[in-house]
Amino acid sequence: AQSVTQPDIHITVSEGASLELRCNYSYGATPYLFWYVQSPGQGLQLLLKYFSGDTLVQGIKGFEAEFKRSQSSFNLRKPSVHWSDAAEYFCAVVRRGGGYNKLIFGAGTRLAVHP
Amino acid sequence: GAVVSQHPSWVICKSGTSVKIECRSLDFQATTMFWYRQFPKQSLMLMATSNEGSKATYEQGVEKDKFLINHASLTLSTLTVTSAHPEDSSFYICSALTGTYEQYFGPGTRLTVT
């Protein structure tokens, strides 16, 4: 069965530091992968997605993610974190089949940013 | 980008009453919408898939008679929590699917049952 693992429940970084959030997936075929961000009181916002092609994907707000099939990973990175990046981040994979495309979410990683 | 709204953003109701939550896609048509439930500091749990003009498909363990879903138009899906109890208190989030496998999420509805 498809699944997504985010090993880090909580991460704290200093403003200006680099960031990497880990995501591992389990899926038999080529996965469709997503990263979403959820800020307090707001809905989930799509940061970036991977369907095929270039394994390094650029997203909004300066984020990027790299798909590594050999490691079953899709880690999210940002070279310099801003205080406004503090939020909950979810990695997700599409579960295809049965005529519907359902998102399977990881448990999420809560990012705190120190000034 | 695509915008999805939810109404109300928060609601408090008494145990035993029913509550209806609306999910609208504002600038696009969505034949498929999804309803999720999120507990504090936890991930989203898919409850059901809502398809315009047909019955919703519920995930295993979700009571279809308690969580009634109606997708009456290409821009509106509703979730009705019937005979609500305190354990139904949660954050309910909807999303609408575009043709490219992308889901756009509403801001969520906080339900508190007293």
Side-chain angles (χ1 to χ4, degrees):
Chain A
Q2 299 91 337
S3 66
V4 177
T5 302
Q6 293 181 247
D8 305 304
I9 297 174
H10 190 274
I11 284 182
T12 301
V13 299
S14 298
E15 190 170 17
S18 63
L19 171 71
E20 182 170 33
L21 302 182
R22 296 184 290 167
C23 172
N24 293 97
Y25 66 89
S26 172
Y27 191 73
T30 299
Y32 291 179
L33 294 158
F34 302 80
W35 273 100
Y36 286 88
V37 60
Q38 185 180 35
S39 299
Q42 298 185 26
L44 275 75
Q45 182 180 22
L46 178 65
L47 287 175
L48 46 78
K49 63 183 184 289
Y50 172 78
F51 289 170
S52 65
D54 193 346
T55 56
L56 184 62
V57 181
Q58 301 298 320
I60 62 171
K61 302 184 178 185
F63 286 93
E64 67 177 27
E66 186 170 13
F67 170 63
K68 293 185 177 180
R69 183 186 300 276
S70 62
Q71 299 178 17
S72 297
S73 70
F74 188 56
N75 294 348
L76 182 71
R77 301 193 295 248
K78 186 170 185 177
S80 178
V81 172
H82 189 263
W83 64 266
S84 61
D85 293 324
E88 186 89 20
Y89 291 81
F90 293 97
C91 181
V93 64
V94 169
R95 186 178 85 197
R96 285 170 279 164
Y100 305 113
N101 301 297
K102 305 176 184 180
L103 278 175
I104 307 298
F105 285 90
T109 298
R110 182 166 296 275
L111 173 66
V113 180
H114 279 175
Chain B
V3 179
V4 176
S5 69
Q6 278 185 246
H7 178 78
S9 55
W10 60 270
V11 58
I12 301 173
C13 71
K14 293 185 177 180
S15 185
T17 62
S18 296
V19 175
K20 179 184 286 188
I21 302 170
E22 293 185 349
C23 177
R24 293 181 184 272
S25 56
L26 298 185
D27 51 1
F28 67 103
Q29 293 182 333
T31 55
T32 301
M33 292 183 174
F34 299 91
W35 286 95
Y36 296 85
R37 186 172 181 176
Q38 186 180 30
F39 290 102
K41 298 185 179 181
Q42 293 189 29
S43 188
L44 282 75
M45 181 192 75
L46 180 64
M47 298 175 64
T49 303
S50 169
N51 290 283
E52 187 267 338
S54 64
K55 291 183 178 181
T57 304
Y58 291 82
E59 296 298 300
Q60 191 172 6
V62 177
E63 299 177 61
K64 60 182 65 178
D65 294 330
K66 166 169 273 299
F67 300 100
L68 301 179
I69 292 172
N70 186 355
H71 195 151
S73 76
L74 290 173
T75 59
L76 173 65
S77 176
T78 60
L79 168 69
T80 301
V81 183
T82 64
S83 187
H85 291 283
E87 56 265 31
D88 298 325
S89 299
S90 191
F91 195 54
Y92 292 89
I93 303 171
C94 73
S95 71
L97 181 69
T98 71
T100 54
Y101 300 101
E102 292 182 26
Q103 292 185 30
Y104 289 89
F105 288 81
T109 297
R110 173 79 56 196
L111 171 63
T112 301
V113 185
T114 61

